[in-house]
Amino acid sequence: MRSGPSWWRRLLRRMGAPFRYLMPRGLLGRALLIILLPLLILQAVALQLFYGGHLDVISRRLAGGVAGDVGMVVEILGRQGGEEERSWVFRQAAWRFDLSLAYEPGASIGMPSQRQSWLPILPLEEDLSQALRERVGLPFDTDWQSDPRSVIIRVQMPGGVLHVEAPRKRLFFGTLYLFVIWLVGTSLLLFIVAALFMKNQVRAIRRLASAAEAFGMGREIGPIKPEGASEVRQAAAAFNQMQARIRRFIAQRTEMLAGISHDLRTPLTRLRLGLAMLPAGTEQDAAAMSEDVAEMERMIATYLAFARGEGMEQTQPADIAELVEDLAARARQDGATVTVEAPGTVVLPVRVDALRRCLGNLLDNARRHARRIAFAITEVPREEPGRPPGRWVMITVDDDGPGIPEAAREEAFRPFTSFSAGGTGLGLAIARDIARAHGGDIALEGSPLGGLRARVRLPA
């Protein structure tokens, strides 16, 4: 048996699914929507109450008054058929009822023509027609378009047509405009004030988000100024404290690892000195032992580089194409076949030495297993939910080596995982750590050259 709350939650999710795509993505848009919806509902309720109650009653009463006056004139004219009496009725109607009358003997109004409504949002025309049907009892026609200041009413009498010009002010009251202007104006003013306040609050949150993203990419931004609501200020203060703690931790770890590096290299230096002072006849053994000591120094340097990272280096604008070309030129000097395809100048804020180490590790891995290596730099749009649009800079390193099976490519990034003899298994781990510290990543794919492709993605 299904539980009630979970069933209702699923039902509400299904009902709200079509509206999810209409919801604004940003906090500012959603906050303004939260403010705007109650205002619109309040206006709708107020207008409905006004139109359905006050306006409807007043409109019927005004229309009934005009129709009653017209009906009285028609009744008097029907009883007093002489020309002199008709003139007297016209004068009295103009003075007492503010109605302009004219009589056209022998005329006929014919079929009433279809005219465009004067003010469709108001029930004035319908109310006047209903009141005339009730209080006049004769065929009639109303014209709201010919005269902007009067409503022309034509009544079919037995001997002709009675023309009545009734002032619009007797049927329409100007306070309606004031009411609508006041309602819409105050709501618009409140919405603008709320939007300005919300924009300031969201600006503080955006600044905090930008600072967190920049700090995650290793860019030096310094402490941010707490501003906005108390909760946003508290979050900014907590971010500044976290930033300071992380920097302090990195500095302490770097100092500790520098000391470890010094302590480890001291006995290795003594071993080198002892090997150099071995007696004659042991040169072959001494050379092999020296190679082992050099291998130990290289492994220690690699392990320390992996543990220390590049956290203390500051970011600065650098030309990625120039950096890649420099790495390729050095590899060519060592006999490697390396090509570079770059669009020209590609300047990014990066840690230059760290990125050089990252791309150098990828290049060394390719040189160890392949004969041909190809660098390529491209730019693609960046569209991610929750982040402003931008672009990615893609750096690919292709080789024609044996490659890595697809199932083992993600495993290759784990520390101390090596697919070749003599490797420490830290090159790819260090490269990914550096790329992610810049806000990017590294992925391994199949290469068009037949080997492995390493794709480095960096945010521009």
Side-chain angles (χ1 to χ4, degrees), residues 80-291:
Q80 305 289 337
E83 184 70 28
E84 184 177 350
E85 289 82 0
R86 187 184 301 137
S87 299
W88 177 83
V89 171
F90 286 2
R91 289 194 302 271
Q92 293 298 319
W95 174 45
R96 300 181 186 276
F97 301 149
D98 199 16
L99 298 177
S100 299
L101 304 177
Y103 185 75
E104 187 178 358
S108 176
I109 60 174
M111 291 294 295
S113 59
Q114 295 293 331
R115 299 185 183 93
Q116 187 178 2
S117 180
W118 172 60
L119 201 58
I121 63 174
L122 297 178
L124 304 178
E125 300 178 40
E126 183 180 352
D127 289 343
L128 179 59
S129 297
Q130 181 64 28
L132 288 172
R133 280 192 293 268
E134 294 175 356
R135 306 196 181 191
V136 175
L138 295 174
F140 67 90
D141 181 27
T142 57
D143 183 3
W144 292 75
Q145 305 293 333
S146 300
D147 192 343
R149 292 179 298 179
S150 302
V151 178
I152 301 175
I153 304 170
R154 289 185 289 271
V155 181
Q156 181 67 62
M157 298 184 66
V161 175
L162 176 66
H163 296 263
V164 183
E165 290 187 11
R168 290 181 189 264
K169 63 183 180 180
R170 291 198 57 184
L171 295 164
F172 180 77
F173 49 100
T175 54
L176 173 65
Y177 291 122
L178 297 178
F179 174 78
V180 174
I181 291 173
W182 173 260
L183 190 65
V184 176
T186 53
S187 299
L188 184 61
L189 179 62
L190 290 175
F191 179 73
I192 292 175
V193 172
L196 292 176
F197 275 103
M198 285 304 304
K199 185 177 180 181
N200 291 333
Q201 300 302 319
V202 173
R203 184 188 305 161
I205 298 176
R206 285 177 177 169
R207 187 175 289 113
L208 176 61
S210 299
E213 184 177 6
F215 182 69
M217 294 180 182
R219 299 172 185 173
E220 182 64 32
I221 58 172
I224 62 175
K225 179 182 177 182
E227 58 181 358
S230 58
E231 291 82 2
V232 181
R233 291 174 180 267
Q234 184 179 0
F239 173 79
N240 289 335
Q241 294 175 2
M242 178 199 69
Q243 194 175 204
R245 292 193 190 102
I246 292 176
R247 288 201 181 95
R248 187 164 58 248
F249 168 75
I250 293 176
Q252 292 173 353
R253 190 183 69 167
T254 303
E255 292 176 1
M256 179 187 68
L257 292 176
I260 293 175
S261 175
H262 180 268
D263 293 342
L264 289 175
R265 282 192 170 92
T266 298
L268 290 177
T269 302
R270 288 199 298 266
L271 285 174
R272 280 184 176 276
L273 181 61
L275 290 173
M277 298 179 65
L278 287 177
T282 60
E283 289 82 0
Q284 186 175 0
D285 295 334
M289 295 176 65
S290 297
E291 291 180 0

Side-chain angles (χ1 to χ4, degrees), residues 322-338:
E322 182 179 348
L323 177 63
V324 169
E325 186 61 47
D326 181 60
L327 290 172
R330 294 186 181 184
R332 294 189 194 103
Q333 291 177 359
D334 296 336
T337 303
V338 184

Side-chain angles (χ1 to χ4, degrees), residues 337-372:
T337 303
V338 184
T339 61
V340 177
E341 182 181 349
T345 302
V346 183
V347 179
L348 293 180
V350 295
R351 300 188 186 102
V352 180
D353 293 338
L355 187 59
R356 188 187 299 275
R357 178 187 293 273
C358 170
L359 298 178
N361 287 350
L362 298 178
L363 180 60
D364 291 341
N365 286 341
R367 289 177 57 191
R368 192 178 296 118
H369 302 94
R371 292 175 299 176
R372 285 196 307 147

